């Protein structure tokens, strides 16, 4: 018996918060059904090679202009995805594999593209890590592009998406998001994708509610079905009755009223009921993030992730290029404090120019400061750029993955040498990211080497619970609000009572934990730009010294 038309609730994983009501627009993966290979004769092989070459050139140009456009108009993180796609499609080994598919199986270029990319996509999708699965998405996206270029197709059905509708799809690829950005969807529902997928990143950037991991989505939701999307709880009501619609409307109006009240005070300081000023800073990675952070009233930048200046590059940026990039990104924060994190890369995110060596367990390998100390030129370039920047701004430095005292002393040593060379006089405060249990338990020793510290609970949780932050299969072990994490923060606080402590992991942005976080003795929090007003509001309603006894602490998760 069909259940179409009857109210039912569907659950998934909320990856971008918010509420929305509207009609479903189901986006099908159309190219997948055109799979019959087209045979050719041996004398056509060369011609098919040249079709392939032409299509590769066409999409390389498209991807380059897309990357520039997206970087300018949206976010450089998404821009970097298209830069990476351009590199992938021009990879000589891919070209070789495509050519041998045409030659050995005597199929045309389109058929070769479909089968080679499908093989790669499946390989990646079978892997467990989120990053590998994302690569599967990248492969699919590229395959669609190449197939379209080979057959001259230029349309994307997402262009037909009616404004205000709820996009329903198995998954969303990076190029889909560009079309989607031009439309005004109300929400996105997906079968695949985790918190760090392209789709989730895009949805958060655009402020679109998004629920992922809805099993068999295309069998359950059909075009024009009415939906109520609650991406706070991760529930979708399909075919809602009048009663549910009315209750949902009430909830939406309540949220709107609360949000407008909260945003009116966003630019005021966050002072607790007992008079303690807590800095609410922003985590940023690009100029677009910085602009959003300022609009939302951030008191400064608690974490500037600098990886974007390096990803997808064939050579590291020069000191001047890096300085320019930092000046551009941080311009909205003139006069406000900014923490610049040294490059946190390595292991599973290799840079092409570092001569990456495979490691059996990359998360426990050379990442963050470990890699920088191995590549001193990389470290020196960053330190010199930051030293020059600090002449004109309130800049501080954050060391990623500091685990041993030597990680800090070696960095400080380089900083002093370079400062003398540059004659810069002023040395910016040097802080550490507390991302390993070892660091959290070593502050008695570390406090004499650094000026401040910030808890990176995303990694601290991964290493405390031995649960890969990218692996959805161990999601239930990744508990960043468990007592174990708070205990580490409390121990760190009591071991180094005078060291300024902050928190910049995702946990800092969840208002139901703000009180418990502040009880660990923290005076500053750094969160995603749209969350600044919400966290400030929460702080204004609690006591710092004497916690509000009427507030009951939530259970973990
Ligand atoms: C963290 O680990 O909590 C953190 C803020 O750094 P990232 O998420 O960039 O690793
Ligand atoms: Mg980290």
């Amino acid at each position: 018996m069909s259940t179409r038309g009857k109210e039912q609730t569907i659950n998934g994983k909320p990856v971008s918060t918010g509420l929305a009501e509207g009609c479903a627009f189901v986006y099908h993966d159309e190219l997948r059904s055109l799979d019959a290979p087209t045979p050719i004769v041996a004398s056509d092989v060369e011609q098919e090679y040249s079709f392939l070459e032409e299509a590769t050139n066409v999409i390389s140009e498209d991807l380059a202009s897309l990357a520039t456009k997206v970087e300018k108009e949206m976010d450089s993180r998404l821009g970097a995805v298209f830069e990476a796609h351009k590199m992938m499609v021009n990879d000589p080994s891919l070209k070789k594999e495509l050519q041998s598919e045409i030659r050995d199986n005597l199929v045309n270029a389109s058929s070769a593209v479909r089968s080679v990319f499908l093989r790669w996509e499946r390989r990646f999708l079978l892997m467990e890590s989120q990053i590998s699965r994302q690569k599967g998405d990248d492969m699919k996206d590229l395959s669609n592009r190449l197939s379209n270029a080979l057959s001259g197709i230029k349309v994307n059905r997402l262009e037909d998406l009616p404004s205000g509708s709820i996009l329903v799809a198995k998954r969303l690829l990076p190029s889909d998001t560009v079309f989607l950005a031009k439309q005004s969807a109300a929400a996105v529902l997906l079968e695949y994708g985790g918190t760090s997928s392209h789709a989730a990143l895009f949805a958060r950037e655009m402020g679109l509610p998004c629920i992922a991991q809805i099993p068999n989505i295309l069998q359950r939701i059909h075009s024009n079905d009415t939906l109520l999307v609650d991406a706070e709880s991760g529930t979708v009501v399909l075919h809602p009755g009048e009663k549910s619609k009315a209750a949902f409307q009430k909830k939406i109006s309540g949220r709107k009223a609360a949000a407008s009240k909260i945003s009116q005070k966003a630019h005021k300081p966050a002072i607790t009921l007992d008079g303690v000023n807590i800095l609410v800073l922003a985590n940023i990675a690009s100029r677009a993030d910085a602009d959003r952070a300022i609009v939302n009233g951030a008191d400064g930048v608690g974490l500037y992730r600098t990886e974007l200046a390096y990803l997808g590059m064939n050579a590291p940026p020069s000191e001047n290029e890096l300085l320019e990039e930092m000046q551009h990104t941080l311009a909205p924060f003139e006069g406000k404090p900014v923490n610049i994190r040294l490059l946190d890369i390595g292991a599973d995110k290799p840079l092409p120019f570092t001569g990456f060596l495979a490691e059996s367990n990359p998360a426990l390998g050379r990442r963050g400061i470990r890699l920088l100390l191995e590549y001193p030129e990389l470290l020196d370039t960053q330190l010199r750029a930051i030293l020059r920047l600090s002449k004109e701004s309130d800049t501080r430095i954050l060391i990623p993955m500091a685990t041993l005292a030597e990680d800090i002393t070696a960095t400080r040593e380089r900083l002093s040498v370079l400062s003398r060379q540059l004659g810069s006089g002023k040395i910016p405060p040097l802080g550490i990211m507390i991302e390993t249990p070892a660091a959290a338990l070593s502050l008695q020793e570390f406090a004499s080497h650094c000026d401040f510290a910030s808890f990176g609970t995303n990694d601290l949780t991964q290493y405390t619970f031995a649960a890969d932050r990218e692996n959805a299969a161990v999601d239930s072990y990744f508990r960043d609000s468990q007592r174990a994490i708070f205990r580490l923060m409390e121990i760190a606080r009591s071991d180094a009572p005078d060291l300024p402590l902050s928190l910049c992991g995702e946990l800092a942005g969840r208002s139901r934990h703000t009180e418990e976080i502040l009880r660990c003795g923290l005076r500053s929090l750094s969160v995603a730009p749209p969350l600044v007003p919400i966290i400030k509001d929460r702080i204004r309603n609690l006591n710092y010294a004497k916690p509000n006894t009427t507030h009951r602490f939530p259970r973990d998760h």
Side-chain angles (χ1 to χ4, degrees):
M1 190 187 90
S2 164
T3 52
R4 255 190 107 175
K6 255 173 96 185
E7 175 170 322
Q8 54 180 297
T9 302
I10 299 173
N11 296 306
K13 185 181 171 80
V15 294
S16 174
T17 193
L19 305 173
E21 179 182 9
C23 283
F25 175 86
V26 175
Y27 177 52
H28 284 282
D29 212 342
E30 291 176 298
L31 275 159
R32 187 52 64 94
S33 51
L34 309 170
D35 267 348
T38 309
I40 57 166
V41 289
S43 56
D44 291 340
V45 166
E46 285 301 324
Q47 174 142 50
E48 291 299 323
Y49 284 178
S50 67
F51 287 154
L52 189 63
E53 187 81 25
E54 252 172 62
T56 306
N57 292 340
V58 167
I59 73 166
S60 294
E61 275 176 33
D62 283 357
L63 285 165
S65 53
L66 203 56
T68 321
K69 188 168 177 296
V70 170
E71 187 172 334
K72 257 202 224 135
E73 293 174 14
M74 293 166 62
D75 189 292
S76 40
R77 261 175 291 184
L78 285 173
V81 170
F82 295 111
E83 269 302 328
H85 281 194
K86 194 180 129 200
M87 282 167 75
M88 278 157 100
V89 80
N90 283 291
D91 188 313
S93 57
L94 177 68
K95 182 175 169 184
K96 231 165 114 191
E97 193 171 340
L98 287 167
Q99 287 187 337
S100 69
E101 186 77 20
I102 294 172
R103 187 185 57 241
D104 301 343
N105 297 332
L106 287 178
V107 290
N108 74 355
S110 291
S111 309
V113 164
R114 278 202 299 273
S115 43
V116 167
F117 276 85
L118 197 56
R119 259 198 315 266
W120 275 102
E121 188 196 337
R122 287 198 176 136
R123 263 174 231 157
F124 283 124
L125 289 178
L126 282 175
M127 294 182 192
E128 287 213 327
S129 86
Q130 195 83 27
I131 287 181
S132 308
R133 290 201 191 150
Q134 263 169 238
K135 284 208 186 109
D137 281 359
D138 290 331
M139 282 299 170
K140 164 119 191 61
D141 205 2
L142 274 179
S143 162
N144 285 356
R145 263 182 203 288
L146 259 181
S147 301
N148 284 346
L150 281 163
S151 52
I153 297 176
K154 282 211 165 75
V155 291
N156 185 311
R157 271 208 49 222
L158 274 183
E159 288 196 324
D160 303 334
L161 184 126
S163 150
S165 45
I166 293 168
L167 176 67
V168 176
K170 271 194 176 281
R171 56 184 167 170
L172 217 49
L173 302 171
S175 60
D176 295 330
T177 59
V178 175
F179 285 98
L180 189 58
K182 296 185 201 150
Q183 317 300 321
S184 45
V188 178
L189 302 178
L190 302 168
E191 180 155 342
Y192 300 112
T195 321
S196 52
S197 61
H198 294 310
L201 169 70
F202 168 80
R204 284 195 295 268
E205 294 295 334
M206 305 299 288
L208 268 181
C210 178
I211 303 178
Q213 298 174 26
I214 300 176
N216 303 320
I217 194 165
L218 299 187
Q219 278 93 59
R220 300 162 85 182
I221 304 177
H222 303 91
S223 276
N224 297 320
D225 283 350
T226 305
L227 303 168
L228 306 178
V229 177
D230 183 340
E232 291 175 358
S233 63
T235 52
V236 181
V237 180
L238 174 61
H239 310 303
E242 289 310 315
K243 222 167 127 195
S244 302
K245 277 191 194 167
F248 199 73
Q249 268 305 327
K250 217 169 141 195
K251 200 168 172 182
I252 291 183
S253 331
R255 291 293 185 280
K256 272 194 189 146
S260 98
K261 217 169 122 200
I262 285 173
S263 70
Q264 280 162 19
K265 287 213 241 158
H267 293 270
K268 301 222 165 80
I271 300 173
T272 62
L273 292 171
D274 53 347
V276 180
N277 190 358
I278 306 292
L279 286 181
V280 182
L281 310 160
N283 292 346
I284 67 161
S286 64
R287 173 60 186 261
D289 288 344
D291 288 334
R292 263 189 289 276
I294 275 292
V295 167
N296 280 296
D299 298 321
V301 173
L303 172 65
Y304 171 17
R305 294 179 165 109
T306 53
E307 289 73 42
L308 279 180
Y310 292 80
L311 288 170
M313 307 275 283
N314 287 318
S318 68
E319 182 184 320
N320 283 341
E321 284 168 342
L322 202 53
L323 178 62
E324 246 174 60
E325 172 73 27
M326 289 175 176
Q327 280 167 330
H328 171 69
T329 303
L330 296 171
F333 279 90
E334 203 186 334
K336 291 190 159 56
V338 295
N339 294 342
I340 303 179
R341 182 174 71 184
L342 299 174
L343 188 60
D344 182 20
I345 206 148
D348 59 321
K349 285 183 266 166
L351 294 175
F353 47 83
T354 52
F356 168 68
L357 286 170
E359 291 180 309
S360 58
N361 206 339
L364 304 182
R366 285 166 299 172
R367 51 168 297 196
I369 191 63
R370 302 173 183 186
L371 186 112
L372 292 177
L373 292 173
E374 214 173 290
Y375 291 89
E377 318 86 82
L378 215 49
L379 176 63
D380 283 6
T381 309
Q382 289 171 70
L383 292 179
R384 287 173 66 91
I386 297 173
L387 277 164
R388 285 169 62 193
L389 185 73
S390 71
K391 285 184 187 170
E392 57 200 62
S393 60
D394 185 359
T395 308
R396 297 117 198 255
I397 301 173
L398 262 176
I399 304 177
M401 278 294 282
T403 316
L404 302 174
E406 293 94 286
D407 292 332
I408 316 168
T409 51
T411 310
R412 191 176 279 292
E413 169 77 26
R414 284 313 298 160
L415 195 56
S416 311
V417 170
L418 296 171
S419 168
R420 273 198 302 278
Q421 280 175 7
L422 283 169
S424 52
K426 177 178 130 201
I427 295 187
L430 185 63
I432 58 166
M433 294 282 291
I434 303 179
E435 294 173 295
T436 61
L441 300 172
S442 303
L443 280 205
Q444 250 170 3
E445 182 191 3
F446 289 3
S448 55
H449 303 300
C450 60
D451 304 303
F452 68 101
S454 185
F455 291 99
T457 42
N458 307 338
D459 277 309
L460 185 59
T461 305
Q462 147 162 282
Y463 295 122
T464 303
F465 288 89
D468 182 349
R469 58 191 269 192
E470 306 283 355
N471 185 353
V474 288
D475 218 26
S476 60
Y477 285 88
F478 186 92
R479 300 200 173 193
D480 62 354
S481 54
Q482 259 262 11
R483 262 325 280 162
I485 298 300
F486 288 104
R487 290 256 296 137
L488 284 171
M489 297 205 279
E490 285 161 7
I491 293 169
R493 167 80 295 160
S494 73
D495 281 353
D498 300 322
L499 191 71
L501 289 179
S502 182
L503 168 55
C504 60
E506 293 287 310
L507 173 66
R510 298 211 297 276
S511 60
R512 64 186 187 279
H513 296 294
T514 309
E515 189 164 8
E516 201 172 3
I517 293 166
L518 294 186
R519 274 214 283 181
C520 298
L522 273 58
R523 290 285 185 109
S524 91
L525 300 174
S526 190
V527 303
L531 301 178
V532 171
I534 297 164
I535 297 300
K536 281 192 167 184
D537 182 66
R538 178 74 194 105
I539 290 168
R540 292 189 190 107
N541 287 293
L542 55 83
N543 279 304
Y544 185 78
K546 260 190 284 146
N548 193 344
T549 45
T550 57
H551 174 75
R552 293 186 50 226
F553 290 117
R555 296 188 70 80
D556 293 307
H557 274 261

